[in-house]
Amino acid sequence: MRYDVIVIGAGMVGTAAAWHLQNNGSKVLLLDRKLPGLETSYGNAGLIQREAVHTHPFPRQITEMVRVLPNQGTDIRYRIPALLRYHQALLQYWKYSTPASVKKIESEWQTLIAHCTSEHQKMIEASNADELITRDGWLQLHRSEETLKKAVETAVIDREKGVEHRVLNLEELKALEPNANFDGFVGAIHWLNSWQVSNPSALVKAYAKNFEEIQGTIVESNVQEIQPENGEEGAGWKVITNKETYYSDHLVIAAGPWSNELIQPLGYNLPLFPMRGYHQHFKVSDKNTIHHSMFDMDKGFVMGPMQQGIRITTGAEMTTMNAPKNFGQLKTVLKLAKKILPLEDAVESEAWAGSRPCMPDMKPVIGPADKHDKLWFAFGHSHQGFTLGPITGRLVEELIHDKPLTVNVEPFNATRFSKK
Ligand SMILES: Cc1cc2nc3c(=O)[nH]c(=O)nc-3n(C[C@H](O)[C@H](O)[C@H](O)COP(=O)(O)OP(=O)(O)OC[C@H]3O[C@@H](n4cnc5c(N)ncnc54)[C@H](O)[C@@H]3O)c2cc1C
């Protein structure tokens, strides 16, 4: 079968790209080896993060490094095989994390974040998915006066960037979340214009359903190989799956942390690396109901009200894609979480794990491939791919249809690593 565009990957990013393209006149095939929204876009904390105007740099201060080194933290852990495997990307990550470099990166990153809620809103409306969204922000809890003071100072500056907040003392916090025990905390920032999604996978599915309603095609099959059609540059694409072979004029790679596997045979070697996270749900009762997602800033984990239960989401574990699960970080997080809320019955017997697709300069890759015509990249959104899927999808559509761009994509191009 022939399509105008094939999009590989039905996570938040690929689904949004397919939706925008189909909505704007292309005949699109969205391919995934699973149903839409079942990988990284399933297991995240479900926040559409208008407040995320800052990136996550590599720790460079000695005190930070000494803290991370024993590998017992709740926010970040690492495994030696991953450090060896991704050492080049990590070295680049370290280099990009100087204050001057982070300042530039964040100014570029913010051009995407500025569109996150407005772009989701269009897709939410079209997909009738409003019941999955809560628009009264989320809570960033602090255990130390020092970290709270610093965060408040930054939040005040970030008002200029469109981020709305208010500072809460413990009484105000308790009034918002009466079931939580805030012993050990000193206060919080309430991020007011970020949104919560009660089932991230269901939101991707709702967008995918709307894509089908507008005559887009979704096929569940594993892409084994991509090739220029007839072996000829610029002719189009041949996509070989475990079931059928498909053809298209344009091809979009939106396979999240697996994107490199698809493009390496074509001669691309982008420094994409995974950062794993875990989650587990706990049954909701009168005693533990919460209304806002709460992020324990000093310990680095999230507790969120989801349809499946209260979702406890860990920070990052630097490991390889197929390494067996290691529940050490989650266990430590659960001990802390259970002091905040009574969490008695786990919903799943085994916790979920998935990988954030990360780039060393903390920015996604959005734009044309440099070695092939009509090949487009949309991956590497690390900690905020759920937030940034819709604006990325819009940009991919504008690029492929050769329209004026909503955001300058130059800072996100695929060649930025080969230029160094
Ligand atoms: C614990 C955790 C918490 C997070 N919290 C948040 C949050 O609150 N807010 C936020 O914005 N982001 C959050 N993130 C990050 C966010 O989840 C990711 O950035 C985002 O989901 C990436 O989306 P994606 O579409 O690029 O990748 P994915 O959702 O992983 O989709 C990629 C798809 O490609 C498919 N695929 C891969 N290879 C092939 C192949 N060969 N053939 C066919 N299909 C293929 C996969 O099956 C998959 O469905 C979190 C991540 C984690 C791990």
Side-chain angles (χ1 to χ4, degrees), residues 156-175:
V156 170
I157 298 168
D158 290 345
R159 281 201 177 116
E160 286 165 17
K161 301 172 187 120
V163 178
E164 295 168 17
H165 79 278
R166 64 179 176 139
V167 182
L168 302 178
N169 62 28
L170 287 180
E171 255 173 44
E172 291 164 325
L173 200 50
K174 194 76 188 163

Short mmCIF file of all heavy atoms in Angstrom, two decimals, residues 156-175:
data_model
loop_
_atom_site.label_atom_id
_atom_site.label_comp_id
_atom_site.label_asym_id
_atom_site.label_seq_id
_atom_site.Cartn_x
_atom_site.Cartn_y
_atom_site.Cartn_z
N VAL A 156 9.47 33.31 40.15
CA VAL A 156 9.10 34.72 39.96
C VAL A 156 9.65 35.21 38.62
O VAL A 156 8.94 35.85 37.84
CB VAL A 156 9.62 35.57 41.15
CG1 VAL A 156 9.47 37.07 40.86
CG2 VAL A 156 8.86 35.20 42.43
N ILE A 157 10.90 34.85 38.33
CA ILE A 157 11.50 35.26 37.04
C ILE A 157 10.74 34.60 35.88
O ILE A 157 10.52 35.20 34.83
CB ILE A 157 13.00 34.87 36.98
CG1 ILE A 157 13.75 35.61 38.09
CG2 ILE A 157 13.62 35.15 35.62
CD1 ILE A 157 15.16 35.11 38.32
N ASP A 158 10.32 33.37 36.10
CA ASP A 158 9.66 32.61 35.02
C ASP A 158 8.26 33.11 34.68
O ASP A 158 7.67 32.67 33.69
CB ASP A 158 9.63 31.11 35.36
CG ASP A 158 11.03 30.51 35.29
OD1 ASP A 158 11.93 31.17 34.73
OD2 ASP A 158 11.23 29.39 35.83
N ARG A 159 7.74 34.05 35.49
CA ARG A 159 6.44 34.65 35.13
C ARG A 159 6.53 35.29 33.75
O ARG A 159 5.59 35.24 32.97
CB ARG A 159 6.06 35.72 36.15
CG ARG A 159 5.51 35.12 37.42
CD ARG A 159 4.67 36.15 38.19
NE ARG A 159 4.08 35.51 39.36
CZ ARG A 159 4.36 35.86 40.62
NH1 ARG A 159 5.18 36.86 40.86
NH2 ARG A 159 3.81 35.22 41.61
N GLU A 160 7.70 35.88 33.47
CA GLU A 160 7.91 36.51 32.15
C GLU A 160 7.79 35.50 31.02
O GLU A 160 7.54 35.86 29.88
CB GLU A 160 9.35 37.03 32.03
CG GLU A 160 9.66 38.25 32.80
CD GLU A 160 11.17 38.45 32.89
OE1 GLU A 160 11.93 37.84 32.10
OE2 GLU A 160 11.58 39.21 33.78
N LYS A 161 8.04 34.23 31.35
CA LYS A 161 8.00 33.19 30.31
C LYS A 161 6.62 32.53 30.24
O LYS A 161 6.47 31.46 29.66
CB LYS A 161 9.08 32.14 30.59
CG LYS A 161 10.47 32.76 30.64
CD LYS A 161 11.53 31.80 31.11
CE LYS A 161 12.84 32.56 31.27
NZ LYS A 161 13.36 32.53 32.64
N GLY A 162 5.66 33.13 30.92
CA GLY A 162 4.29 32.62 30.84
C GLY A 162 3.96 31.55 31.87
O GLY A 162 2.91 30.91 31.78
N VAL A 163 4.83 31.36 32.86
CA VAL A 163 4.58 30.33 33.88
C VAL A 163 3.88 30.97 35.08
O VAL A 163 4.37 31.95 35.63
CB VAL A 163 5.90 29.68 34.34
CG1 VAL A 163 5.64 28.65 35.42
CG2 VAL A 163 6.64 29.07 33.16
N GLU A 164 2.73 30.40 35.47
CA GLU A 164 1.99 30.98 36.60
C GLU A 164 2.15 30.09 37.82
O GLU A 164 2.08 28.86 37.72
CB GLU A 164 0.50 31.07 36.23
CG GLU A 164 0.25 32.06 35.09
CD GLU A 164 -1.16 31.95 34.54
OE1 GLU A 164 -2.04 31.35 35.21
OE2 GLU A 164 -1.36 32.43 33.40
N HIS A 165 2.34 30.75 38.99
CA HIS A 165 2.49 29.95 40.22
C HIS A 165 1.96 30.71 41.42
O HIS A 165 1.73 31.91 41.35
CB HIS A 165 3.97 29.63 40.46
CG HIS A 165 4.73 30.77 41.06
ND1 HIS A 165 5.23 31.82 40.31
CD2 HIS A 165 5.06 31.05 42.35
CE1 HIS A 165 5.84 32.68 41.09
NE2 HIS A 165 5.76 32.25 42.35
N ARG A 166 1.79 29.99 42.53
CA ARG A 166 1.65 30.64 43.82
C ARG A 166 2.40 29.79 44.83
O ARG A 166 2.55 28.57 44.67
CB ARG A 166 0.19 30.86 44.20
CG ARG A 166 -0.59 29.60 44.39
CD ARG A 166 -2.02 29.93 44.79
NE ARG A 166 -2.76 28.69 44.86
CZ ARG A 166 -3.64 28.39 45.81
NH1 ARG A 166 -3.91 29.26 46.75
NH2 ARG A 166 -4.27 27.24 45.81
N VAL A 167 2.86 30.47 45.87
CA VAL A 167 3.63 29.76 46.91
C VAL A 167 2.65 29.38 48.02
O VAL A 167 1.80 30.18 48.40
CB VAL A 167 4.74 30.68 47.45
CG1 VAL A 167 5.59 29.94 48.48
CG2 VAL A 167 5.63 31.17 46.30
N LEU A 168 2.77 28.14 48.48
CA LEU A 168 1.85 27.66 49.52
C LEU A 168 2.61 27.37 50.81
O LEU A 168 3.67 26.72 50.77
CB LEU A 168 1.19 26.35 49.08
CG LEU A 168 0.39 26.35 47.77
CD1 LEU A 168 -0.14 24.95 47.48
CD2 LEU A 168 -0.77 27.34 47.85
N ASN A 169 2.07 27.84 51.95
CA ASN A 169 2.63 27.38 53.22
C ASN A 169 1.95 26.05 53.59
O ASN A 169 1.06 25.58 52.88
CB ASN A 169 2.49 28.46 54.31
CG ASN A 169 1.03 28.78 54.59
OD1 ASN A 169 0.15 27.94 54.41
ND2 ASN A 169 0.76 30.02 55.01
N LEU A 170 2.36 25.49 54.72
CA LEU A 170 1.87 24.15 55.04
C LEU A 170 0.36 24.11 55.26
O LEU A 170 -0.31 23.14 54.89
CB LEU A 170 2.60 23.60 56.26
CG LEU A 170 4.06 23.19 55.99
CD1 LEU A 170 4.70 22.65 57.26
CD2 LEU A 170 4.16 22.14 54.88
N GLU A 171 -0.16 25.20 55.83
CA GLU A 171 -1.63 25.24 56.07
C GLU A 171 -2.39 25.25 54.74
O GLU A 171 -3.39 24.54 54.57
CB GLU A 171 -1.98 26.52 56.81
CG GLU A 171 -2.30 26.30 58.26
CD GLU A 171 -2.47 27.62 58.98
OE1 GLU A 171 -3.12 28.54 58.45
OE2 GLU A 171 -1.89 27.72 60.07
N GLU A 172 -1.89 26.04 53.83
CA GLU A 172 -2.55 26.13 52.51
C GLU A 172 -2.44 24.80 51.75
O GLU A 172 -3.37 24.36 51.07
CB GLU A 172 -1.92 27.26 51.69
CG GLU A 172 -2.25 28.63 52.26
CD GLU A 172 -1.33 29.74 51.72
OE1 GLU A 172 -0.14 29.49 51.49
OE2 GLU A 172 -1.84 30.86 51.56
N LEU A 173 -1.30 24.17 51.94
CA LEU A 173 -1.08 22.86 51.30
C LEU A 173 -2.06 21.83 51.86
O LEU A 173 -2.70 21.08 51.12
CB LEU A 173 0.36 22.46 51.62
CG LEU A 173 1.06 21.43 50.77
CD1 LEU A 173 0.96 21.73 49.30
CD2 LEU A 173 2.55 21.38 51.16
N LYS A 174 -2.19 21.83 53.17
CA LYS A 174 -3.09 20.89 53.85
C LYS A 174 -4.54 21.13 53.42
O LYS A 174 -5.32 20.19 53.26
CB LYS A 174 -2.91 21.07 55.36
CG LYS A 174 -3.50 19.99 56.21
CD LYS A 174 -2.65 18.73 56.21
CE LYS A 174 -3.38 17.60 56.91
NZ LYS A 174 -2.85 16.29 56.62
N ALA A 175 -4.86 22.42 53.22
CA ALA A 175 -6.24 22.73 52.80
C ALA A 175 -6.51 22.16 51.40
O ALA A 175 -7.60 21.69 51.11
CB ALA A 175 -6.45 24.24 52.81
#
